[in-house]
Amino acid sequence: MSEDSYSSIIIIGGGVIGLSAAFYCAQAGIEVTLIEQSDLGSGTSAQTARVVRGYFPRRVADSELAVGSLAEYRGFAAETGVDPELEQTGFLVVLTRGEDVETLGRELDAQRAVGVEAELITAAQVCQRNPFLDPADIVAAVWSPQAFSCNPQAIMHGYAETAQRRGVRLLTGMEVIGVDAVRGRVATTNGDYVADAIVCAAGPWSGRVAAMTGVSLPVTPQPSELMTTGPIATDMTLPFTLHLSSALRVRRLGDALLIGLEGIPKGGDQRALWHRAVAEELTKRYARLRDVELHTAWTGSLDVAPQRTAFIGQGSGSHRRFLYAAGFSGRGLCQAPMAGQIIRDLCLGQQPAVDLKAFSPIRLDAEPHPAAKRLPT
Ligand SMILES: Cc1cc2nc3c(=O)[nH]c(=O)nc-3n(C[C@H](O)[C@H](O)[C@H](O)COP(=O)(O)OP(=O)(O)OC[C@H]3O[C@@H](n4cnc5c(N)ncnc54)[C@H](O)[C@@H]3O)c2cc1C
């Protein structure tokens, strides 16, 4: 092992991020042990809306990771023998305020420079793409064709099987209870493990895992919920549709619609209030759905980092052997392939393909973008 490259690693967490890192690191000849406290893919990665897309408004660095990841997903079946079941839906960002049209319009060149395909379209074109929308207060939209529904379980299965074929040890039902990144040692409920470096990919629980070795990684679990409608009569492939002003998201799932809204449906009265807010926002934006039934689709824990952009990198000084990829804040599936490749590059002592500044905890010292704090898109 040279000071800046690692020939063996322990990955903590068997979600889409840990499995992607295992897949790419094993491909590069690194000896990998992955430790998962429960079953593979049973954490946040089991709860997604099953959308992968390339465009993240107001977040060019996130788009860059996602666009690179989409390219990897396109080659996924050939690489792993498992079909990720990508079905193109496209992505519609509906704008109801003139200032958003200006801001997103100005940013399009920077988005295109990192590979995003996106264009501003008129209100009439918006309603052609999603006829359920109420045109009343729509000013314009950004349309990006680079969005797909997918099968996250198939993706994780493909990563896990291929990684295992490449020699990765996948240890499940084993909780990590202590981390000494200085010595490369991990204590679990089933004994200790040692490697050149340790990778924290523990999803929403990454803050707790990092704290075991004295590293501050402010990632926390946030309760989250998706709602579903009853059956909707249409044969159209509806785009994944986001209202920028409220962060209402709607996508088709089978013969129903899957709906998400920002906010934290904790429980009791708060959850009831959140349910009411979803119903109100939905009927405001989709007048044709006024009488539709709404049910809880599933609940989960969102992997939230401040400013809603993931932390990907490695510690400094005596914690250099502690690497992390966590806090994807609702876009881990979109960014998993590139996150795995970055971990591989750091383990090899090579420069990753993207600038990691936007993904460093150091960014927390900088002034947060006020809109970024308010609207995770
Ligand atoms: C409702 C909802 C919808 C979403 N929709 C989308 C979407 O459509 N597209 C998208 O890109 N993203 C979406 N996301 C976000 C996405 O789910 C996450 O960003 C992604 O799954 C994070 O993957 P991960 O591997 O980091 O975390 P996880 O899947 O949570 O994996 C972490 C693993 O670490 C394990 N672990 C934790 N602590 C320990 C320990 N001490 N010892 C051993 N193991 C441990 C956990 O058991 C877990 O399996 C959504 C999230 C939610 C909640």
PDB file of all heavy atoms in Angstrom, residues 35-54:
ATOM      1  N   ILE A  35     -19.784  -4.745   4.426  1.00  0.00           N
ATOM      2  CA  ILE A  35     -20.516  -5.167   5.626  1.00  0.00           C
ATOM      3  C   ILE A  35     -21.858  -4.443   5.699  1.00  0.00           C
ATOM      4  O   ILE A  35     -21.916  -3.211   5.658  1.00  0.00           O
ATOM      5  CB  ILE A  35     -19.672  -4.868   6.897  1.00  0.00           C
ATOM      6  CG1 ILE A  35     -18.319  -5.594   6.800  1.00  0.00           C
ATOM      7  CG2 ILE A  35     -20.429  -5.306   8.152  1.00  0.00           C
ATOM      8  CD1 ILE A  35     -17.355  -5.291   7.937  1.00  0.00           C
ATOM      9  N   GLU A  36     -22.921  -5.223   5.790  1.00  0.00           N
ATOM     10  CA  GLU A  36     -24.286  -4.684   5.821  1.00  0.00           C
ATOM     11  C   GLU A  36     -24.991  -5.239   7.061  1.00  0.00           C
ATOM     12  O   GLU A  36     -24.972  -6.438   7.295  1.00  0.00           O
ATOM     13  CB  GLU A  36     -25.023  -5.066   4.531  1.00  0.00           C
ATOM     14  CG  GLU A  36     -26.533  -4.933   4.560  1.00  0.00           C
ATOM     15  CD  GLU A  36     -27.040  -3.533   4.892  1.00  0.00           C
ATOM     16  OE1 GLU A  36     -26.537  -2.561   4.323  1.00  0.00           O
ATOM     17  OE2 GLU A  36     -27.954  -3.441   5.756  1.00  0.00           O
ATOM     18  N   GLN A  37     -25.621  -4.339   7.812  1.00  0.00           N
ATOM     19  CA  GLN A  37     -26.234  -4.789   9.071  1.00  0.00           C
ATOM     20  C   GLN A  37     -27.500  -5.634   8.859  1.00  0.00           C
ATOM     21  O   GLN A  37     -27.866  -6.433   9.697  1.00  0.00           O
ATOM     22  CB  GLN A  37     -26.568  -3.593   9.950  1.00  0.00           C
ATOM     23  CG  GLN A  37     -27.606  -2.658   9.363  1.00  0.00           C
ATOM     24  CD  GLN A  37     -27.790  -1.371  10.146  1.00  0.00           C
ATOM     25  OE1 GLN A  37     -27.184  -1.191  11.185  1.00  0.00           O
ATOM     26  NE2 GLN A  37     -28.637  -0.492   9.643  1.00  0.00           N
ATOM     27  N   SER A  38     -28.138  -5.418   7.722  1.00  0.00           N
ATOM     28  CA  SER A  38     -29.385  -6.144   7.472  1.00  0.00           C
ATOM     29  C   SER A  38     -29.210  -6.946   6.175  1.00  0.00           C
ATOM     30  O   SER A  38     -28.221  -7.639   6.004  1.00  0.00           O
ATOM     31  CB  SER A  38     -30.526  -5.129   7.400  1.00  0.00           C
ATOM     32  OG  SER A  38     -31.725  -5.763   7.147  1.00  0.00           O
ATOM     33  N   ASP A  39     -30.180  -6.831   5.240  1.00  0.00           N
ATOM     34  CA  ASP A  39     -30.022  -7.458   3.921  1.00  0.00           C
ATOM     35  C   ASP A  39     -29.518  -6.412   2.933  1.00  0.00           C
ATOM     36  O   ASP A  39     -29.771  -5.214   3.104  1.00  0.00           O
ATOM     37  CB  ASP A  39     -31.373  -7.991   3.421  1.00  0.00           C
ATOM     38  CG  ASP A  39     -31.877  -9.127   4.291  1.00  0.00           C
ATOM     39  OD1 ASP A  39     -31.035  -9.927   4.752  1.00  0.00           O
ATOM     40  OD2 ASP A  39     -33.097  -9.191   4.530  1.00  0.00           O
ATOM     41  N   LEU A  40     -28.869  -6.854   1.873  1.00  0.00           N
ATOM     42  CA  LEU A  40     -28.431  -5.924   0.828  1.00  0.00           C
ATOM     43  C   LEU A  40     -29.653  -5.195   0.261  1.00  0.00           C
ATOM     44  O   LEU A  40     -30.706  -5.807   0.041  1.00  0.00           O
ATOM     45  CB  LEU A  40     -27.725  -6.681  -0.308  1.00  0.00           C
ATOM     46  CG  LEU A  40     -26.425  -7.401   0.061  1.00  0.00           C
ATOM     47  CD1 LEU A  40     -25.898  -8.175  -1.147  1.00  0.00           C
ATOM     48  CD2 LEU A  40     -25.371  -6.429   0.576  1.00  0.00           C
ATOM     49  N   GLY A  41     -29.496  -3.898   0.059  1.00  0.00           N
ATOM     50  CA  GLY A  41     -30.577  -3.126  -0.588  1.00  0.00           C
ATOM     51  C   GLY A  41     -31.825  -2.970   0.251  1.00  0.00           C
ATOM     52  O   GLY A  41     -32.901  -2.707  -0.283  1.00  0.00           O
ATOM     53  N   SER A  42     -31.706  -3.106   1.566  1.00  0.00           N
ATOM     54  CA  SER A  42     -32.910  -3.023   2.414  1.00  0.00           C
ATOM     55  C   SER A  42     -33.070  -1.637   3.053  1.00  0.00           C
ATOM     56  O   SER A  42     -34.063  -1.378   3.716  1.00  0.00           O
ATOM     57  CB  SER A  42     -32.845  -4.080   3.524  1.00  0.00           C
ATOM     58  OG  SER A  42     -31.696  -3.855   4.324  1.00  0.00           O
ATOM     59  N   GLY A  43     -32.104  -0.740   2.852  1.00  0.00           N
ATOM     60  CA  GLY A  43     -32.173   0.601   3.456  1.00  0.00           C
ATOM     61  C   GLY A  43     -32.947   1.560   2.562  1.00  0.00           C
ATOM     62  O   GLY A  43     -33.942   1.183   1.923  1.00  0.00           O
ATOM     63  N   THR A  44     -32.474   2.793   2.491  1.00  0.00           N
ATOM     64  CA  THR A  44     -33.164   3.814   1.687  1.00  0.00           C
ATOM     65  C   THR A  44     -33.298   3.404   0.230  1.00  0.00           C
ATOM     66  O   THR A  44     -34.253   3.805  -0.447  1.00  0.00           O
ATOM     67  CB  THR A  44     -32.374   5.138   1.732  1.00  0.00           C
ATOM     68  OG1 THR A  44     -31.954   5.345   3.051  1.00  0.00           O
ATOM     69  CG2 THR A  44     -33.212   6.296   1.291  1.00  0.00           C
ATOM     70  N   SER A  45     -32.344   2.623  -0.241  1.00  0.00           N
ATOM     71  CA  SER A  45     -32.371   2.239  -1.659  1.00  0.00           C
ATOM     72  C   SER A  45     -33.594   1.398  -2.002  1.00  0.00           C
ATOM     73  O   SER A  45     -33.929   1.237  -3.176  1.00  0.00           O
ATOM     74  CB  SER A  45     -31.098   1.474  -2.024  1.00  0.00           C
ATOM     75  OG  SER A  45     -29.965   2.260  -1.762  1.00  0.00           O
ATOM     76  N   ALA A  46     -34.272   0.842  -0.989  1.00  0.00           N
ATOM     77  CA  ALA A  46     -35.487   0.063  -1.243  1.00  0.00           C
ATOM     78  C   ALA A  46     -36.718   0.968  -1.347  1.00  0.00           C
ATOM     79  O   ALA A  46     -37.809   0.482  -1.650  1.00  0.00           O
ATOM     80  CB  ALA A  46     -35.691  -0.957  -0.130  1.00  0.00           C
ATOM     81  N   GLN A  47     -36.545   2.269  -1.093  1.00  0.00           N
ATOM     82  CA  GLN A  47     -37.720   3.145  -0.940  1.00  0.00           C
ATOM     83  C   GLN A  47     -37.840   4.208  -2.023  1.00  0.00           C
ATOM     84  O   GLN A  47     -38.633   5.133  -1.910  1.00  0.00           O
ATOM     85  CB  GLN A  47     -37.640   3.837   0.433  1.00  0.00           C
ATOM     86  CG  GLN A  47     -37.651   2.854   1.579  1.00  0.00           C
ATOM     87  CD  GLN A  47     -36.908   3.372   2.797  1.00  0.00           C
ATOM     88  OE1 GLN A  47     -36.349   4.458   2.784  1.00  0.00           O
ATOM     89  NE2 GLN A  47     -36.911   2.585   3.858  1.00  0.00           N
ATOM     90  N   THR A  48     -37.062   4.094  -3.080  1.00  0.00           N
ATOM     91  CA  THR A  48     -37.007   5.201  -4.038  1.00  0.00           C
ATOM     92  C   THR A  48     -38.278   5.278  -4.896  1.00  0.00           C
ATOM     93  O   THR A  48     -39.046   4.327  -4.977  1.00  0.00           O
ATOM     94  CB  THR A  48     -35.818   5.054  -5.018  1.00  0.00           C
ATOM     95  OG1 THR A  48     -36.123   4.016  -5.934  1.00  0.00           O
ATOM     96  CG2 THR A  48     -34.524   4.733  -4.302  1.00  0.00           C
ATOM     97  N   ALA A  49     -38.400   6.417  -5.580  1.00  0.00           N
ATOM     98  CA  ALA A  49     -39.487   6.582  -6.556  1.00  0.00           C
ATOM     99  C   ALA A  49     -39.117   5.930  -7.892  1.00  0.00           C
ATOM    100  O   ALA A  49     -39.872   6.021  -8.854  1.00  0.00           O
ATOM    101  CB  ALA A  49     -39.792   8.059  -6.756  1.00  0.00           C
ATOM    102  N   ARG A  50     -37.909   5.318  -7.934  1.00  0.00           N
ATOM    103  CA  ARG A  50     -37.462   4.530  -9.106  1.00  0.00           C
ATOM    104  C   ARG A  50     -37.229   5.404 -10.333  1.00  0.00           C
ATOM    105  O   ARG A  50     -37.517   4.993 -11.453  1.00  0.00           O
ATOM    106  CB  ARG A  50     -38.460   3.405  -9.416  1.00  0.00           C
ATOM    107  CG  ARG A  50     -38.707   2.535  -8.198  1.00  0.00           C
ATOM    108  CD  ARG A  50     -39.844   1.577  -8.391  1.00  0.00           C
ATOM    109  NE  ARG A  50     -40.319   1.088  -7.100  1.00  0.00           N
ATOM    110  CZ  ARG A  50     -41.424   0.383  -6.929  1.00  0.00           C
ATOM    111  NH1 ARG A  50     -42.183   0.098  -7.963  1.00  0.00           N
ATOM    112  NH2 ARG A  50     -41.769  -0.018  -5.731  1.00  0.00           N
ATOM    113  N   VAL A  51     -36.741   6.597 -10.086  1.00  0.00           N
ATOM    114  CA  VAL A  51     -36.473   7.524 -11.186  1.00  0.00           C
ATOM    115  C   VAL A  51     -34.971   7.781 -11.256  1.00  0.00           C
ATOM    116  O   VAL A  51     -34.333   8.033 -10.236  1.00  0.00           O
ATOM    117  CB  VAL A  51     -37.193   8.878 -10.959  1.00  0.00           C
ATOM    118  CG1 VAL A  51     -36.774   9.903 -12.011  1.00  0.00           C
ATOM    119  CG2 VAL A  51     -38.703   8.690 -10.969  1.00  0.00           C
ATOM    120  N   VAL A  52     -34.404   7.710 -12.462  1.00  0.00           N
ATOM    121  CA  VAL A  52     -33.048   8.218 -12.675  1.00  0.00           C
ATOM    122  C   VAL A  52     -33.117   9.297 -13.746  1.00  0.00           C
ATOM    123  O   VAL A  52     -33.812   9.139 -14.749  1.00  0.00           O
ATOM    124  CB  VAL A  52     -32.029   7.112 -13.044  1.00  0.00           C
ATOM    125  CG1 VAL A  52     -31.717   6.232 -11.845  1.00  0.00           C
ATOM    126  CG2 VAL A  52     -32.488   6.252 -14.213  1.00  0.00           C
ATOM    127  N   ARG A  53     -32.431  10.391 -13.500  1.00  0.00           N
ATOM    128  CA  ARG A  53     -32.486  11.532 -14.435  1.00  0.00           C
ATOM    129  C   ARG A  53     -31.139  12.236 -14.426  1.00  0.00           C
ATOM    130  O   ARG A  53     -30.330  12.048 -13.504  1.00  0.00           O
ATOM    131  CB  ARG A  53     -33.601  12.501 -14.028  1.00  0.00           C
ATOM    132  CG  ARG A  53     -33.452  13.050 -12.614  1.00  0.00           C
ATOM    133  CD  ARG A  53     -34.538  14.058 -12.259  1.00  0.00           C
ATOM    134  NE  ARG A  53     -34.743  14.156 -10.823  1.00  0.00           N
ATOM    135  CZ  ARG A  53     -34.651  15.278 -10.124  1.00  0.00           C
ATOM    136  NH1 ARG A  53     -34.312  16.406 -10.721  1.00  0.00           N
ATOM    137  NH2 ARG A  53     -34.891  15.296  -8.818  1.00  0.00           N
ATOM    138  N   GLY A  54     -30.941  13.066 -15.452  1.00  0.00           N
ATOM    139  CA  GLY A  54     -29.657  13.744 -15.576  1.00  0.00           C
ATOM    140  C   GLY A  54     -29.681  15.188 -15.121  1.00  0.00           C
ATOM    141  O   GLY A  54     -28.653  15.744 -14.737  1.00  0.00           O
TER     142      GLY A  54
END
